[in-house]
Amino acid sequence: MMSRLAIAIAALAGAAIAAPLSSLVIAQDPAPGGKRIAVHFDSIGRDGHIAARNSAYGANIPPEVNWSPAAGAGSYAVVLEDPDAGGPAPFVHWLAWNIPASRTRLAEGEPPLGAEGRNGHGGVGYWGPHPPSGTHHYYLQVFALDAPLKLGAGAERGALVAAMRGHVLASGEAVGLYSAP
């Protein structure tokens, strides 16, 4: 039986991507030595699609996220991006950082217990998938950091990437799909 992540990756392999994957945060600040953590985006169904309740078409609630612990982590950061949105950079759906090192799970709808940043709609916090048409790929990326970041709430993607630079111990991602209704 294929895992949800394997199904999503298989779907990803067969689809065209508008923005280069190298523009994703995980590609901009990779972990030294390629250290990886396992990430599970629990609202991904067997078909690789994200549950409607986690979309902006639905209840727009953050999904449950689980990740494996990373040795020496001082905090974690979570980024949800859509590289299919057609811009020069992926569309930001969620930025969260300074998640305590003791945490390896965010329950569905639970605030991240750290700081949240500005999403692509201009608000702070989670904004679920909302493709105008077609099927888009949503990259949920988790970063283990050596310490909490000195970055205030409401920061934008570029500020988060700059603050994380040189502090990433390990990283991982899961990919979900969402199709316009």
Side-chain angles (χ1 to χ4, degrees):
M1 179 166 82
M2 289 181 72
S3 73
R4 286 184 244 166
L5 178 57
I7 292 169
I9 289 170
L12 173 63
I17 306 261
L21 293 180
S22 62
S23 62
L24 293 168
V25 170
I26 204 162
Q28 292 180 39
D29 197 359
K35 293 182 183 168
R36 303 293 290 168
I37 55 178
V39 176
H40 304 283
F41 195 173
D42 288 354
S43 67
I44 297 175
R46 292 178 103 53
D47 63 355
H49 280 76
I50 298 167
R53 69 183 177 277
N54 300 115
S55 78
Y57 289 110
N60 202 37
I61 55 176
E64 180 171 328
V65 181
N66 294 281
W67 59 90
S68 58
S75 71
Y76 291 96
V78 173
V79 175
L80 178 63
E81 298 180 295
D82 170 7
D84 300 330
F91 189 88
V92 174
H93 285 272
W94 197 16
L95 302 173
W97 59 91
N98 291 347
I99 299 168
S102 60
R103 305 290 305 268
T104 56
R105 176 181 179 267
L106 296 176
E108 186 174 72
E110 175 184 29
L113 301 176
E116 289 183 284
R118 194 157 304 284
N119 62 47
H121 285 282
V124 172
Y126 179 80
W127 182 264
H130 193 269
S133 63
T135 299
H136 285 215
H137 299 81
Y138 295 86
Y139 286 75
L140 181 68
Q141 305 155 85
V142 178
F143 299 88
L145 307 171
D146 60 6
L149 300 176
K150 293 179 172 91
L151 184 64
E156 294 185 352
R157 179 183 188 268
L160 176 59
V161 171
M164 288 192 330
R165 193 156 287 120
H167 295 284
V168 177
L169 299 174
S171 60
E173 65 186 11
V175 181
L177 305 169
Y178 197 83
S179 300

